Amino acid sequence: SWPPATTVTPSDNENGYEPTRNNWNYRLTFKRVIKEASVGEFSCIPYILTLFSSLTYMWYGFPVVSCGWENLTLAIINTIGVLFEISFISIYLWYAPREKKKLVMLMVSSILAIFGVTVLLSSIMIHTHHIRKLFVGSIGMVAAMSMYSSPLVAVKHVLRTKSVEFMPFNLSLSSFLTSLIWLLYGILGRDPYIMSPNCVGCVMGILQLVVYCIYSRCKEAPKSINDTEKAKDMDILSFNQQKRILCYERVHK
């Protein structure tokens, strides 16, 4: 669907499993979840953001908002995206622990409520296509911008662990190419509500590719966040011990 979602999850080359922004790799992700009967450390937030974005742009593509079927492609793709995201979120809820289920249900309810109000206002209170596109398109842009901020989590993780394990090249490249194609679609259609978020998507895609190129050359073994934190603690402990030794030597001189 467009805009595509981003999720930060561990990769597993052995099982062909890696984070992605397309529905095919999402299926691989949830195949792993079903196999292990656990969601592990996976976050459902990217899927919820994608659902909200897909719902908004699906409605944006319908004749109620757009003039006729000028955005038929957008409507069809995001309708399919909505079905996929509902399936993914349902699987997540089935295998998630009780605490995560509550959070996901709360977020999904909020997203559906906002979407319901958007549909109601744009179809009943607003009577012109121009204002409807302005209203729905603005909400869609906010949803897409929020979703496109997800790669920053992956970039931050790479910077901390010095490993591109959580940000494979295929993900970064597909993110950039997808955003670029939809950017061209928006430019050809002279639609700022499609162009704007995909400009951000292109920038984020380039950022990921640059970070990947820098850290993929790192030959050091990847460090987990826990290992990095432990290393910091050991450095602090070592520093304190050195201070005590120096103080002891000064006292006994």
Side-chain angles (χ1 to χ4, degrees), residues 18-160:
E18 61 185 16
T20 184
R21 298 178 80 173
N22 57 59
N23 289 319
W24 170 250
N25 282 306
Y26 271 8
R27 286 171 61 190
L28 294 177
T29 300
F30 280 93
K31 183 180 178 181
R32 175 68 176 268
V33 169
I34 293 169
K35 184 179 178 181
E36 295 186 352
S38 172
V39 297
E41 297 181 2
F42 301 137
S43 172
C44 197
I45 293 175
Y47 306 103
I48 296 171
L49 289 175
T50 306
L51 175 63
F52 182 41
S53 185
S54 297
L55 283 168
T56 306
Y57 277 98
M58 177 188 70
W59 180 243
Y60 182 84
F62 284 171
V64 179
V65 178
S66 298
C67 298
W69 287 105
E70 62 178 352
N71 285 314
L72 175 62
T73 306
L74 193 67
I76 291 173
I77 289 175
N78 281 283
T79 300
I80 296 170
V82 167
L83 296 176
F84 271 112
E85 295 306 323
I86 290 172
S87 302
F88 299 145
I89 293 171
S90 299
I91 294 170
Y92 188 94
L93 283 170
W94 182 263
Y95 291 104
R98 184 177 298 177
E99 296 77 15
K100 288 187 177 182
K101 281 182 181 178
K102 289 180 181 179
L103 179 61
V104 171
M105 288 301 295
L106 179 63
M107 292 187 68
V108 171
S109 300
S110 302
I111 291 301
L112 293 177
I114 295 170
F115 177 68
V117 172
T118 302
V119 171
L120 215 65
L121 291 175
S122 58
S123 58
I124 297 174
M125 303 295 291
I126 304 172
H127 304 290
T128 64
H129 284 291
H130 175 70
I131 303 300
R132 284 173 181 171
K133 287 184 75 173
L134 175 65
F135 177 65
V136 179
S138 298
I139 294 173
M141 282 176 61
V142 172
M145 295 290 187
S146 300
M147 191 176 56
Y148 276 128
S149 65
S150 296
L152 292 175
V153 179
V155 171
K156 181 181 177 182
H157 189 90
V158 171
L159 294 175
R160 290 184 67 182

Side-chain angles (χ1 to χ4, degrees), residues 145 148 179 183 187 194-205:
M145 295 290 187
Y148 276 128
S179 299
L183 174 61
I187 291 171
I194 297 177
M195 282 190 291
S196 301
N198 281 287
C199 279
V200 176
C202 284
V203 172
M204 296 304 300

Side-chain angles (χ1 to χ4, degrees), residues 196-251:
S196 301
N198 281 287
C199 279
V200 176
C202 284
V203 172
M204 296 304 300
I206 292 170
L207 175 63
Q208 290 179 83
L209 289 170
V210 170
V211 171
Y212 182 90
C213 289
I214 293 171
Y215 287 96
S216 62
R217 298 174 183 175
C218 184
K219 295 182 180 179
E220 292 181 8
K223 298 177 182 178
S224 66
I225 294 176
N226 290 334
D227 290 340
T228 306
E229 289 176 351
K230 285 178 182 178
K232 287 181 180 177
D233 292 340
M234 290 297 292
D235 288 341
I236 292 170
L237 183 62
S238 177
F239 178 72
N240 289 334
Q241 287 176 341
Q242 289 176 6
K243 282 179 67 178
R244 288 174 184 172
I245 292 169
L246 288 171
C247 290
Y248 178 83
E249 288 177 350
R250 286 175 183 175
V251 169

